[in-house]
Amino acid sequence: MRYFAALLIMSIPLSGLNARQVVDIDSCRAMALRNNKQMSISAVKRDMARNIRKSARTKYLPGVHAFGSYMYTSREISLLNGNQKSALSNIGSTAAGGINSALQNAGASLTPDQLAAINGQLGALGTSIDQIASGFNEHLNSAAAMLDAGGRGIVDAFRTDTRNIFAGSVLVTQPIYMGGSIRALNRMADIGEQLTAGSAEAVRQQTIYDTDKAYWTVVSLKHKKRLAESYLELIKKLRGDVYKMIGEGVATRAEGLSVDVKVNEAEMTLLQVDDGLTLSRMLLCQQCGLPVDTELITADEDNDSIVTAALPVDNSMTEKAADNRPEIHVLQAMADMSKQAVNLLKAGNLPKIGLTGGYTITNPNVYDGYRRSFGGVWNVGVLVSIPVWNWGDVAYKVRAAKGASAIAALEVAEAREKIELQVSQSAFKVGEASKRMSLAASNVKRAEENLRSAELGFREGVMPATTVMEAQTAWLQARSQKIDAEIDLRLSDVNMRKALGTLE
């Protein structure tokens, strides 16, 4: 038996043993802020904005880019045209043909007597004009062949061999003046970071407000559960007394049935309150990021009183409320960003100046007679871009951006007015809750005295059971209204702090 008992104890889930937790309002807030998904999203957005700001800062710095390319072409670049290539390749043949033509023209201009005289003179030397012409032709043809070969060599030397082109370059650019676009871009990045910070603060305050509301709802329902249990005990005690009186013939059966109905109503009310309390604990668990089956016991649910001193409100706090609200910070950041967007668009109509420098390498080497090798050159320069005409495109965009900026400014002004109204309403609700609290406390005292008198009269036999039930119902309503007033005062105070932007 001990063995089976030990197994039974070991089989109990450990999570159930640790499911009960006692928490106060501060620990609930801390857990809610730590586990809220929107808070995590806000943290990621702030990190994104921070990186965007760092990226914008790099626009002031020089940029270094490396490029590389290869290109194959079906034809190579030629420095000589076709006629020049033909002329150089046949320069010797052309020259020999010209010389032969000139000699033939010269021979045709001589008379037979002149030819005979020349042959006579050459004959005395042991030769003739035909022999001299034949030897000259042989030398001329040899010289022509050499010149043709030299011309073809020149044509080959002028070949570029650029069908396979390799190129590479390292380019450094340094912006000098970009029309104010870089400055506007960096300012927008700074404002974007402020905007995400304001959004995160708004999410934080809303999370605290929702957590407080869920916490005090649990406290309220817990007090109402105790009240319902007390009322059930009272009505059951009255039912016992009535049935005793019925047995003695002092009370009627109808009075007993009326008391039974009240008992059933009290049990139904207790069941509803208990169900509401369970659901409220689940909501608080969800707000705190805990499993919904965790039984959170609030530190204030067992206190006899949950009243707190409301936040005193003066005119100075009301005037500073708009400046403290994260919503105003977000709207103001959006308005400032729209102004910078106008400056960014205006840069489209301004000149841009940049400094460039780098090193370029090519193969074939264009700096060494298109030799098949790598060769490069350093370069430095200034690039100036001046917009001349764009059909008013930039002007139209600037006007549209100015309209958006004006709308953003109006939204800020409208939000300030709404915040002033919200603060005034919250202050009114705080005062109203305080008055209700005082009235509810007075009503509880009267209801308790009325119930005491009714019970005394019932025991003395001078009052019927219906009078006691009416007194008990009035007591229940007075106590319930007091609990509602106390919780309303708590929530009104939280709402007032949220309206003032001071919810911590």
Side-chain angles (χ1 to χ4, degrees):
M1 290 297 293
R2 292 181 179 177
Y3 175 75
F4 288 110
L7 289 178
L8 181 61
I9 294 174
M10 293 176 62
S11 64
I12 298 176
L14 294 178
S15 58
L17 297 177
N18 299 325
R20 187 181 180 92
Q21 296 184 24
V22 179
V23 293
D24 58 7
I25 186 65
D26 293 330
S27 59
C28 285
R29 288 180 175 183
M31 287 189 292
L33 293 175
R34 186 169 59 251
N35 296 286
N36 187 269
K37 299 298 186 296
Q38 291 299 321
M39 290 295 296
S40 300
I41 292 173
S42 298
V44 174
K45 287 182 178 180
R46 294 189 68 175
D47 187 62
M48 292 171 57
R50 190 179 302 109
N51 288 321
I52 292 174
R53 175 180 57 79
K54 292 179 180 180
S55 173
R57 293 292 189 270
T58 62
K59 304 304 179 184
Y60 288 114
L61 305 176
V64 181
H65 305 276
F67 306 93
S69 66
Y70 165 77
M71 182 173 59
Y72 174 81
T73 58
S74 60
R75 298 175 62 185
E76 66 180 28
I77 298 174
S78 178
L79 300 179
L80 302 174
N81 58 38
N83 294 332
Q84 291 172 336
K85 291 180 181 179
S86 177
L88 287 173
S89 299
N90 299 291
I91 187 171
S93 300
T94 301
I99 293 173
N100 285 329
S101 178
L103 291 176
Q104 290 176 2
N105 292 332
S109 63
L110 297 176
T111 62
D113 294 336
Q114 290 174 336
L115 290 173
I118 291 172
N119 283 327
Q121 293 176 358
L122 293 174
L125 297 174
T127 184
S128 65
I129 191 170
D130 293 333
Q131 291 175 342
I132 292 174
S134 176
F136 180 77
N137 285 334
E138 290 179 1
H139 290 292
L140 183 61
N141 290 334
S142 177
M146 293 177 62
L147 289 174
D148 287 343
R152 286 191 294 271
I154 293 174
V155 171
D156 292 339
F158 273 95
R159 286 192 61 191
T160 58
D161 192 15
T162 52
R163 286 177 297 176
N164 295 282
I165 301 176
F166 299 88
S169 176
V170 176
L171 180 64
V172 180
T173 58
Q174 172 62 56
I176 298 177
Y177 178 71
M178 295 288 111
S181 60
I182 297 179
R183 183 170 59 253
L185 184 63
N186 276 268
R187 181 59 184 151
M188 291 177 71
D190 294 338
I191 296 172
E193 193 170 7
Q194 297 172 8
L195 191 149
T196 55
S199 299
E201 177 61 19
V203 172
R204 189 190 70 83
Q205 292 196 12
Q206 185 62 41
T207 301
I208 292 175
Y209 178 78
D210 294 339
T211 304
D212 284 14
K213 187 175 180 180
Y215 180 91
W216 293 115
T217 300
V218 171
V219 174
S220 172
L221 290 174
K222 179 63 177 180
H223 279 73
K224 287 189 175 182
K225 180 181 178 181
R226 292 213 311 263
L227 178 62
E229 290 172 347
S230 299
Y231 176 71
L232 182 59
E233 291 178 1
L234 286 176
I235 199 69
K236 283 184 177 180
K237 182 178 181 299
L238 177 62
R239 182 177 62 177
D241 294 338
V242 168
Y243 273 97
K244 289 179 182 179
M245 296 175 68
I246 292 174
E248 295 175 359
V250 179
T252 63
R253 181 64 180 172
E255 290 179 333
L257 293 176
S258 298
V259 175
D260 289 338
V261 171
K262 286 294 184 179
V263 171
N264 292 336
E265 290 178 354
E267 290 176 347
M268 182 62 68
T269 301
L270 178 60
L271 178 62
Q272 292 176 348
V273 172
D274 190 58
D275 291 341
L277 179 59
T278 302
L279 294 176
S280 299
R281 291 191 194 277
M282 289 182 181
L283 177 60
L284 183 59
C285 290
Q286 190 272 332
Q287 289 284 344
C288 296
L290 299 174
V292 294
D293 59 346
T294 303
E295 186 180 359
L296 284 182
I297 307 301
T298 60
D300 294 286
E301 65 185 41
D302 293 327
N303 295 338
D304 293 334
S305 178
I306 52 179
V307 180
T308 182
L311 175 68
V313 181
D314 54 21
N315 293 331
S316 62
M317 297 177 64
T318 304
E319 294 173 356
K320 296 179 181 178
D323 296 331
N324 295 331
R325 288 287 291 272
E327 294 86 350
I328 288 294
H329 297 166
V330 171
L331 291 175
Q332 188 61 53
M334 294 177 64
D336 294 340
M337 186 171 290
S338 63
K339 292 179 182 178
Q340 296 302 321
V342 173
N343 296 332
L344 185 64
L345 291 172
K346 283 182 178 179
N349 274 338
L350 298 176
K352 297 175 179 59
I353 304 174
L355 180 65
T356 63
Y359 184 78
T360 303
I361 188 172
T362 61
N363 186 349
N365 188 351
V366 297
Y367 307 104
D368 193 15
Y370 286 90
R371 189 162 57 92
R372 178 52 69 180
S373 63
F374 285 96
V377 62
W378 293 96
N379 61 82
V380 64
V382 177
L383 178 64
V384 180
S385 173
I386 302 176
V388 178
W389 184 252
N390 53 24
W391 301 99
D393 175 63
V394 175
Y396 297 141
K397 290 180 180 178
V398 169
R399 291 175 187 173
K402 286 183 177 180
S405 179
I407 292 174
L410 291 174
E411 288 178 347
V412 172
E414 183 183 18
R416 286 182 175 274
E417 294 176 358
K418 289 182 177 180
I419 287 174
E420 291 178 1
L421 176 61
Q422 187 180 22
V423 171
S424 300
Q425 290 176 341
S426 299
F428 177 79
K429 289 181 179 179
V430 169
E432 184 183 17
S434 299
K435 294 177 182 178
R436 287 177 58 193
M437 180 62 210
S438 300
L439 293 175
S442 300
N443 289 337
V444 168
K445 292 181 180 179
R446 294 190 184 99
E448 289 177 349
E449 180 63 24
N450 184 35
L451 178 60
R452 188 187 66 80
S453 300
E455 288 178 344
L456 181 61
F458 178 74
R459 286 195 297 268
E460 296 294 334
V462 295
M463 287 187 180
T466 54
T467 303
V468 178
M469 288 189 292
E470 291 175 358
Q472 290 175 343
T473 303
W475 174 81
L476 175 66
Q477 291 178 349
R479 293 293 300 273
S480 179
Q481 289 174 357
K482 182 175 181 293
I483 294 172
D484 291 338
E486 290 175 341
I487 296 299
D488 189 42
L489 184 59
R490 280 279 189 176
L491 294 180
S492 297
D493 182 68
V494 175
N495 188 59
M496 185 66 197
R497 295 177 188 273
K498 184 174 181 292
L500 293 174
T502 59
L503 185 59
E504 298 293 340

